[in-house]
């Protein structure tokens, strides 16, 4: 059996054994509906609220500002529609041209179906926007500004706290931050951020699990209608056991981030330095990026061909956001950063975790050189 090496942690992560153990234990015992009035239901409800309080403590927010969701795609969509539906007299949204598909498609729907105008701010060659850009785009009828903290393809880091402060002090708009790729990797102060999205499966947690942070003052219309679950903001029977273990998932992710940061930095720096030594390889990620994401191109070999070749050698990598992994179009992120179509169509994303090793990185470089010799 070929030894397989997982270098696609920005796509999803393996479940932390401690999280999985807790989930199984909960699932065996706590299966009743948390909304039930009998003792067992009340117990699960209390346990879920305890988890909500623990999450709030880790993020320095209030417990009733945590809404459990199925993940960041739902959280992102709910943030945009929930605020815009509540602020129906305002018909303008600001975002960027390299957001996750959940943001891009939600904004497109708001334009197409509900008559909103969306300003898509262009990123610079570093893959970021500035607070000054946001300030210039703000209008009296701006309902929401939605910007990702860290880009999922190239790891660029937006000055999200500075942007949020500008939005808060210079407008009546609300600020949403997609923290999917940044939580546990880049410190974040939520002081001026009104809404934020986090997904568990990026943090060694369970798929189908996430939260939307919604500050108390933010008007919000529910997107999923149902009962009074999640303070009436998100209907449907609570996925109680999944929600309960989110607290442990987040705590462990934050602890491990601090514990293993230097290891990931070391592997990332070595990988980039070795890539730069290979003739024809171009580094796509900006200088200021999360160290776990490395993005490069070798223009003589298209992304799909390179992915398949690396797969045959035992490496699991991606080319662009996994949500668009079956597309053969150039990466819209790299195109937005100013790279030509050939370079944007031959990109490879390597995303590391503390589970990876320097030996695996060295094996990757060896395999890449062999592929280039064979196909390039």
């Amino acid at each position: 059996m070929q030894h397989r090496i997982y270098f696609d942690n920005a796509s999803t992560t393996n479940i932390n054994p401690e999280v999985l153990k807790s989930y199984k234990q909960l699932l065996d015992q706590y299966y009743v509906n948390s909304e039930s009035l009998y003792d067992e239901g009340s117990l699960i409800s209390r346990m879920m609220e305890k988890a909500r309080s623990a999450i709030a403590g880790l993020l320095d927010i209030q417990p009733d500002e945590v809404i459990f969701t199925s993940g960041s795609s739902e959280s992102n969509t709910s943030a945009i529609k929930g605020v815009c539906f509540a602020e129906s007299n305002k018909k303008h949204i600001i975002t960027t041209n390299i957001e996750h598909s959940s943001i891009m498609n939600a904004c497109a729907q708001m334009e197409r179906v509900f008559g909103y105008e969306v300003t898509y701010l262009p990123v610079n060659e570093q893959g970021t926007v500035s607070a000054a850009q946001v300030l210039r785009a703000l209008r009296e009828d701006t309902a929401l500004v939605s910007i990702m903290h860290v880009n999922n393809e190239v790891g660029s880091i937006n000055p999200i706290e500075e942007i949020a402060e500008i939005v808060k002090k210079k407008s009546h708009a609300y600020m949403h931050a997609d923290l999917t790729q940044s939580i546990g990797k880049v410190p974040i102060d939520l002081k001026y951020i009104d809404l934020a999205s986090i997904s568990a499966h990026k943090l060694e947690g369970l798929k189908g699990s996430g939260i939307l942070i919604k500050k108390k003052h933010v008007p919000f219309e529910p997107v999923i209608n149902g009962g009074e679950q999640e303070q009436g903001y998100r209907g449907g029977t609570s996925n109680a056991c999944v929600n309960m273990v989110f607290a442990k998932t987040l705590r462990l992710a934050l602890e491990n981030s601090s514990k293993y940061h230097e290891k990931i930095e070391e592997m990332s720096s070595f990988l980039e330095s070795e890539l730069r030594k290979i003739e024809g390889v171009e580094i796509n990620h900006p200088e200021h990026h999360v160290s776990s994401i490395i993005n490069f191109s070798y223009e003589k070999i298209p992304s799909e061909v390179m992915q398949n070749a690396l797969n045959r050698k035992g490496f699991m990598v991606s080319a662009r956001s996994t949500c668009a992994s079956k597309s053969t179009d150039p990466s819209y992120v790299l195109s937005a950063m100013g790279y030509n179509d050939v370079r944007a169509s031959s990109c490879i994303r390597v995303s590391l975790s503390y589970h990876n090793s320097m030996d695996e990185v060295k094996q990757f470089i060896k395999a890449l050189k062999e592929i280039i010799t064979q196909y390039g």
Side-chain angles (χ1 to χ4, degrees):
M1 179 71 72
Q2 182 189 49
H3 176 58
R4 306 286 288 168
I5 295 174
Y6 189 68
F7 276 168
D8 201 20
N9 291 279
S11 171
T12 195
T13 55
N14 196 4
I15 300 174
N16 189 303
E18 291 185 49
V19 172
L20 186 58
K21 180 182 178 182
S22 294
Y23 178 61
K24 287 179 176 178
Q25 289 173 342
L26 289 168
L27 205 58
D28 283 341
Q29 186 174 354
Y30 302 105
Y31 58 88
V32 306
N33 194 323
S34 61
E35 297 295 303
S36 302
L37 295 180
Y38 38 78
D39 292 348
E40 291 83 354
S42 298
L43 174 60
I44 293 176
S45 181
R46 289 196 300 273
M47 291 171 69
M48 198 163 65
E49 293 313 307
K50 184 178 179 181
R52 197 190 307 273
S53 293
I55 293 164
L58 290 167
L59 297 173
D60 196 24
I61 56 176
Q62 298 301 310
D64 59 1
E65 295 175 335
V66 176
I67 302 171
F68 289 114
T69 69
S70 64
S72 283
S73 287
E74 182 192 329
S75 296
N76 285 341
T77 302
S78 296
I80 291 172
K81 295 179 182 179
V83 169
C84 288
F85 291 165
E87 294 278 277
S88 57
N89 60 318
K90 296 179 179 180
K91 293 287 187 177
H92 182 232
I93 301 168
I94 298 172
T95 188
T96 81
N97 60 355
I98 64 165
E99 296 297 310
H100 186 265
S101 58
S102 58
I103 295 289
M104 301 292 269
N105 291 336
C107 286
Q109 188 182 50
M110 296 303 290
E111 289 180 293
R112 185 179 68 252
V113 179
F114 300 103
Y116 278 72
E117 185 179 347
V118 181
T119 298
Y120 297 91
L121 298 174
V123 296
N124 58 23
E125 66 280 358
Q126 297 295 307
T128 60
V129 295
S130 67
Q133 279 179 278
V134 175
L135 179 60
R136 288 193 296 270
L138 285 168
R139 304 185 335 201
E140 281 296 318
D141 66 337
T142 303
L144 185 73
V145 178
S146 179
I147 295 177
M148 58 173 32
H149 191 189
V150 168
N151 180 262
N152 50 314
E153 290 194 27
V154 296
S156 53
I157 306 171
N158 276 308
I160 206 73
E161 293 167 6
E162 184 183 352
I163 291 170
E165 186 173 3
I166 286 288
V167 171
K168 181 61 63 180
K169 293 183 176 180
K170 300 294 184 179
S171 79
H172 297 292
Y174 295 98
M175 178 72 203
H176 169 248
D178 182 354
L179 306 183
T180 309
Q181 295 290 347
S182 66
I183 200 77
K185 299 181 181 71
V186 182
I188 179 73
D189 184 349
L190 297 173
K191 179 180 179 182
Y192 293 112
I193 292 173
D194 299 303
L195 305 106
S197 305
I198 302 175
S199 193
H201 79 101
K202 308 291 188 181
L203 306 172
E204 299 192 333
L206 299 165
K207 291 176 179 64
S209 172
I211 61 170
L212 171 63
I213 297 165
K214 187 200 80 67
K215 298 289 184 67
K216 293 179 183 179
H217 62 274
V218 179
F220 190 87
E221 280 291 325
V223 176
I224 299 176
N225 299 110
E228 291 304 307
Q229 297 91 351
E230 300 303 304
Q231 307 167 64
Y233 293 131
R234 199 256 190 185
T237 301
S238 297
N239 198 356
C241 295
V242 166
N243 296 342
M244 283 184 231
V245 297
F246 192 99
K248 175 174 274 192
T249 300
L250 182 60
R251 175 178 60 79
L252 291 172
L254 294 174
E255 288 174 358
N256 287 335
S257 171
S258 173
K259 187 176 179 181
Y260 295 108
H261 177 73
E262 287 186 10
K263 179 185 179 182
I264 294 173
E265 284 267 348
E266 184 182 7
M267 289 188 293
S268 176
S269 296
F270 179 80
L271 176 56
E272 182 176 340
S273 67
E274 291 300 303
L275 287 171
R276 290 186 182 278
K277 295 175 185 177
I278 302 173
E279 185 178 352
V281 168
E282 300 165 303
I283 302 298
N284 298 323
H285 61 261
E287 182 179 352
H288 184 49
H289 69 109
V290 291
S291 56
S292 55
I293 295 179
I294 299 289
N295 193 301
F296 68 92
S297 293
Y298 183 78
E299 293 189 10
K300 294 181 181 179
I301 303 178
S303 296
E304 187 175 359
V305 176
M306 180 67 86
Q307 279 181 278
N308 288 332
L310 285 165
N311 178 51
R312 287 193 295 271
K313 287 186 176 290
F315 294 92
M316 291 173 272
V317 300
S318 61
R320 49 185 67 82
S321 169
T322 312
C323 296
S325 62
K326 292 179 172 62
S327 171
T328 56
D329 294 335
S331 161
Y332 69 89
V333 174
L334 294 185
S335 296
M337 291 170 66
Y339 295 124
N340 63 54
D341 283 353
V342 177
R343 185 165 175 175
S345 298
S346 56
C347 59
I348 292 293
R349 180 187 69 181
V350 173
S351 44
L352 306 167
S353 88
Y354 66 93
H355 295 295
N356 295 123
S357 67
M358 187 65 80
D359 183 60
E360 290 177 336
V361 173
K362 291 176 181 178
Q363 289 179 53
F364 177 82
I365 291 294
K366 181 176 180 291
L368 180 65
K369 289 177 178 178
E370 290 171 355
I371 292 167
I372 288 174
T373 300
Q374 183 178 356
Y375 294 96

